[in-house]
């Protein structure tokens, strides 16, 4: 057993996030595990860019109100206790509601080749405020 040292909180990069979000790494598996777990805290209006996870992702909302959208589908409002799975290769984004903070646990895996996610364009205001 090992009590792990707390890693520094890291600000999410502007290349792949709109607005302010912060990461706390909770787990990063060592081979053969490739699990990744982070707590992500989004300020109101903040969201990540369009992206797709190589091996899929599960997010679990712990606080606030958030929004999530899969490409071609409506924007969905998400709340504490909600768990959302995005399958491998599905393009999507997630973040806080315009006027609320949102915190979620994000759980994903790297592929055998070490790939984690493919990133695309930032989510525009029109997309972010689009059809719910
Ligand atoms: Mn994602």
């Amino acid at each position: 057993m090992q009590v792990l040292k707390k890693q520094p909180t890291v600000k999410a990069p502007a290349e792949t996030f709109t607005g302010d979000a912060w990461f706390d790494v909770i787990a990063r598996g060592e081979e053969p595990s490739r699990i990744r777990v982070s707590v992500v805290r989004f300020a109101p209006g903040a969201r990540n860019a369009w992206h797709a996870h190589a091996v899929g992702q599960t997010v679990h909302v712990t606080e606030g109100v958030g929004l999530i959208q899969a490409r071609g589908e409506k924007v969905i409002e998400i709340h504490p206790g909600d768990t959302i799975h995005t399958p491998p290769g599905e393009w999507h984004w997630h973040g806080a509601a315009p006027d609320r903070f949102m915190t979620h646990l994000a759980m994903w895996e790297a592929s055998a080749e070490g790939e984690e996610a493919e990133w695309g364009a930032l989510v525009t205001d029109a997309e972010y405020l689009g059809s719910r």
Side-chain angles (χ1 to χ4, degrees):
M1 188 176 85
Q2 190 184 6
V3 177
L4 300 171
K5 192 166 172 245
K6 168 78 175 72
Q7 299 295 305
T9 299
V10 177
K11 183 136 194 306
E15 296 74 38
T16 49
F17 281 74
T18 299
D20 292 337
W22 287 265
F23 276 88
D24 283 291
V25 174
I26 303 299
R28 185 181 174 86
E30 290 181 20
E31 293 283 347
S33 170
R34 296 188 292 267
I35 195 166
R36 309 283 187 262
V37 182
S38 285
V39 171
V40 190
R41 295 181 169 87
F42 296 85
R47 66 271 189 179
N48 49 30
W50 287 100
H51 63 284
H53 301 279
V55 190
Q57 180 184 55
T58 299
V59 301
H60 179 78
V61 181
T62 57
E63 209 175 356
V65 179
L67 299 175
I68 189 166
Q69 183 183 27
R71 183 153 279 167
E73 296 181 18
K74 286 185 186 304
V75 176
I76 298 169
E77 192 172 286
I78 53 177
H79 300 269
D82 288 346
T83 303
I84 305 95
H85 177 71
T86 56
E90 182 179 81
W91 285 85
H92 68 284
W93 59 266
H94 30 121
D99 54 356
R100 298 289 301 272
F101 284 84
M102 190 275 281
T103 301
H104 69 42
L105 203 53
M107 297 159 277
W108 71 99
E109 287 175 81
S111 72
E113 295 73 34
E115 298 165 324
E116 298 195 18
E118 186 180 346
W119 290 92
L122 294 174
V123 171
T124 65
D125 286 346
E127 288 171 321
Y128 176 68
L129 301 169
S131 64
R132 295 219 197 157

